[in-house]
């Protein structure tokens, strides 16, 4: 059984935690006011918080991240303009996080699926698919196994460098929903 600690208690935290618990994983949560004091009990830590909150969380836990698999779900949008990402062109939030906690294994996942489609496990007629990128095949397989046990599909989307493309997909999907061109209960699906 994989053990997860989810930092955050919002829409994505609850949707992801629900899927993982459905699959038999152990899930604990760290609320905003517990950051730095509540332990990172899980082998896998999910950062289910806005991207601007991540730096302070990394600083609060420091070496407690060493040896953990850390899942970055953020879409690092410029929320003032909705017209760009706040990470440098060609890079990703995930790559920036990995550079700050080099003794952890950082994965990108869940950023291309809206919270509602994680909770419903469906995008239209299709099973919700989580795309997972990172440099550790073992860590990706562990996460995908837990996701699939919870009733979703998971795909290994490649190396940590692919987080850049996953963030572009998340960015495009988010702007479509904000523009009311697709519903928050829908989004991009994968037909296989
Ligand atoms: N919603 C989606 O469909 C979706 C899809 C893909 C990716 N994402 C990404 O998922 C992440 C979470 O989104 P969400 O929709 O779950 O947001 P949300 O419902 O607003 O939840 C955000 C969580 O982060 C906590 N938080 C906020 N600022 C914090 C800080 N400075 N330190 C510690 N915790 C903090 C919040 O605590 P409080 O409630 O106490 O403020 C809350 O528990 C974001 O990075 C977003 O880009 C969201």
């Amino acid at each position: 059984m994989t053990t997860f600690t989810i930092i955050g208690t919002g829409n994505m935290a609850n949707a992801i935690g629900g899927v993982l618990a459905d699959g038999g994983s152990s899930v604990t949560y760290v609320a905003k006011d517990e950051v730095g004091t509540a332990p990172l009990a899980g082998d896998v830590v999910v950062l289910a918080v806005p991207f601007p909150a991540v730096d302070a969380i990394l600083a609060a836990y420091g070496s407690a991240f060493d040896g953990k698999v850390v899942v970055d779900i953020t879409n690092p949008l410029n929320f003032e303009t909705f017209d760009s990402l706040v990470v440098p062109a060609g890079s990703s939030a995930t790559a920036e996080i990995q550079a700050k906690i080099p003794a952890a294994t950082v994965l990108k996942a869940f950023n291309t699926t809206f919270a509602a489609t994680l909770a419903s496990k469906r995008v239209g007629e299709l099973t919700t698919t989580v795309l997972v990128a990172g440099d550790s095949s073992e860590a990706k397989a562990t996460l995908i196994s837990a996701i699939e046990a919870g009733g979703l599909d998971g795909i290994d989307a490649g190396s940590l460098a692919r987080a850049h493309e996953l963030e572009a997909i998340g960015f495009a999907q988010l702007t479509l929903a904000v523009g009311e061109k697709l519903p928050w209960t829908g989004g991009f699906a994968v037909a296989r």
Side-chain angles (χ1 to χ4, degrees), residues 18-107:
V19 168
L20 297 171
D22 285 351
S25 291
S26 157
V27 183
T28 55
Y29 295 87
V30 175
K32 186 177 182 177
D33 61 0
E34 298 172 322
V35 167
T37 55
L40 300 181
D43 295 328
V44 183
V45 179
V46 181
L47 300 172
V49 298
F51 180 62
V54 168
D55 269 357
I57 291 169
L58 300 186
Y61 280 104
S63 61
F65 279 111
D66 292 1
K68 302 280 188 191
V69 173
V70 175
V71 182
D72 164 39
I73 74 166
T74 65
N75 279 314
L77 254 73
N78 180 333
F79 284 103
E80 288 178 6
T81 64
F82 278 95
D83 202 31
S84 65
L85 299 179
V86 297
V87 292
S91 184
S92 66
T94 319
E96 295 202 339
I97 293 168
Q98 180 67 83
K100 286 172 183 163
I101 48 171
T105 299
V106 183
L107 304 179

